[in-house]
Amino acid sequence: MNQSDEMIELLVSSLASSTSEHDAYLFRDALKRLVRTAQQEQLIEMQRDFDTVYDTMSSRRAR
């Protein structure tokens, strides 16, 4: 289990005992989607940074 899964389970376990299993499932699913979206955004940003560095290095070599 990775760190984000552990944090999600911690949050889900903190729900009130009156919360239905279905609601807990929906909460867990929403958190997992949020984590995936954040990871995808981070990958996109890393790719942009890489592209910027690559373009800079390529333009320096062309001189």
Side-chain angles (χ1 to χ4, degrees):
M1 185 178 282
N2 62 37
Q3 186 176 7
S4 60
D5 288 339
E6 290 174 6
M7 293 174 71
I8 288 170
E9 289 308 314
L10 176 67
L11 289 168
V12 171
S13 69
S14 70
L15 293 173
S17 60
S18 61
T19 303
S20 71
E21 283 296 316
H22 179 70
D23 288 345
Y25 170 81
L26 292 175
F27 184 57
R28 182 182 291 110
D29 187 57
L31 290 171
K32 287 182 179 184
R33 289 173 188 253
L34 182 62
V35 166
R36 277 195 303 268
T37 300
Q39 289 171 338
Q40 289 169 347
E41 289 173 354
Q42 185 178 24
L43 281 174
I44 290 168
E45 188 62 34
M46 289 171 64
Q47 182 65 45
R48 283 186 194 137
D49 291 346
F50 175 81
D51 291 344
T52 300
V53 170
Y54 182 80
D55 292 344
T56 301
M57 297 301 289
S58 294
S59 67
R60 288 183 182 173
R61 287 186 192 140
R63 292 181 188 171

